[in-house]
């Protein structure tokens, strides 16, 4: 799993300039700014890989902390985009697509974390594995939610949007709870 695959998945999800409801110029600015943050996060993760190879314990711990923070940032950016898309969806398939893309982004990132942990690039393996477990659990919940979206034929689109955004809010708590 490479950063490029993750970046491709992430960019599919977080490009929000096509979501209606706000001035097109502002949507484009937000989308471009999000892309800049994602690019910076990716660059930071590449440098963090080098930090893991240092001899100093403090630097290794710093690398682990930075990696954990960037993982959370990436997950929260993806969550914000999926929530926006779900709230603005005009159909159940659009809601399902937003959730499916979110699950794909998280699954791709989780796979990258697994590879890094397996290769021993994460000095604080227990911290990384705890974050990985939380990300896997969140991915599983989103996947289940996406699978059920089209099955509930009796539920109105408004009710479905509310339920989905509520569940995304609950899932989004994992990143904040982990950092406490």
């Amino acid at each position: 799993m490479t950063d490029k695959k993750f970046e491709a998945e992430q960019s599919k999800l977080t490009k929000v300039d096509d979501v209606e409801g706000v001035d097109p110029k502002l949507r484009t600015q937000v989308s471009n700014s999000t892309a800049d943050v994602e690019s910076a996060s990716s660059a930071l993760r590449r440098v963090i890989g080098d930090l893991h190879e240092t001899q100093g314990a403090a630097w290794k711990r710093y690398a682990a902390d930075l990696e954990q923070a960037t993982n959370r940032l990436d997950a929260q950016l993806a969550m914000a985009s999926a929530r926006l898309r779900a709230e603005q969806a005009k159909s159940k398939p659009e809601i399902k697509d937003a959730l499916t893309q979110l699950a794909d982004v998280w699954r791709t990132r989780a796979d990258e974390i697994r590879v890094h942990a397996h290769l021993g690039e994460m000095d604080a393996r227990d911290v990384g594995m705890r974050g990985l477990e939380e990300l896997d659990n969140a991915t599983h919940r989103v996947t289940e939610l996406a699978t059920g979206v089209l099955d509930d034929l009796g539920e109105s689109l408004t009710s479905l949007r509310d339920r989905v955004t509520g569940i995304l809010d609950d899932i989004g708590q994992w990143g904040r709870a982990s950092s406490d």
Side-chain angles (χ1 to χ4, degrees), residues 45 49-50 69-70 73 114 135 140 159 166 168 173:
R45 279 195 314 277
D50 293 337
T70 58
L73 173 64
R114 270 188 205 87
L135 188 57
H140 181 69
S159 174
L168 288 175
Q173 294 300 313

Side-chain angles (χ1 to χ4, degrees), residues 27-172:
R27 286 193 315 254
T28 300
Q29 287 175 330
V30 169
S31 187
N32 291 341
S33 296
T34 303
D36 291 344
V37 170
E38 290 169 351
S39 178
S41 177
S42 178
L44 181 58
R45 279 195 314 277
R46 284 190 295 274
V47 172
I48 288 169
D50 293 337
L51 269 182
H52 283 300
E53 301 301 319
T54 64
Q55 298 302 312
W59 279 109
K60 286 183 179 188
R61 180 64 199 168
Y62 181 63
D65 289 347
L66 283 177
E67 185 146 18
Q68 187 176 16
T70 58
N71 288 338
R72 284 196 184 108
L73 173 64
D74 292 337
Q76 291 299 325
L77 286 172
M79 172 73 78
S81 175
R83 190 172 199 281
L84 173 66
R85 290 180 181 281
E87 287 178 352
Q88 299 291 314
K90 291 184 169 69
S91 68
K92 290 180 181 182
E94 284 183 25
I95 292 174
K96 182 178 183 195
D97 288 346
L99 295 172
T100 301
Q101 287 178 348
L102 177 62
D104 289 346
V105 166
W106 283 353
R107 192 174 297 109
T108 300
R109 186 64 188 132
D111 289 345
E112 282 187 13
I113 294 169
R114 270 188 205 87
V115 168
H116 288 264
H118 181 71
L119 295 174
E121 292 177 2
M122 293 180 69
D123 190 48
R125 183 174 284 202
D126 58 331
V127 173
M129 295 310 283
R130 186 172 53 246
L132 178 60
E133 182 180 339
E134 293 166 345
L135 188 57
D136 278 339
N137 290 339
T139 302
H140 181 69
R141 261 189 93 186
V142 168
T143 301
E144 284 180 344
L145 183 59
T147 301
V149 164
L150 298 178
D151 295 340
D152 197 350
L153 300 176
E155 189 169 8
S156 73
L157 185 58
T158 302
S159 174
L160 182 59
R161 280 186 198 137
D162 292 343
R163 183 166 62 94
V164 165
T165 56
I167 291 171
L168 288 175
D169 286 344
D170 290 345
I171 293 170

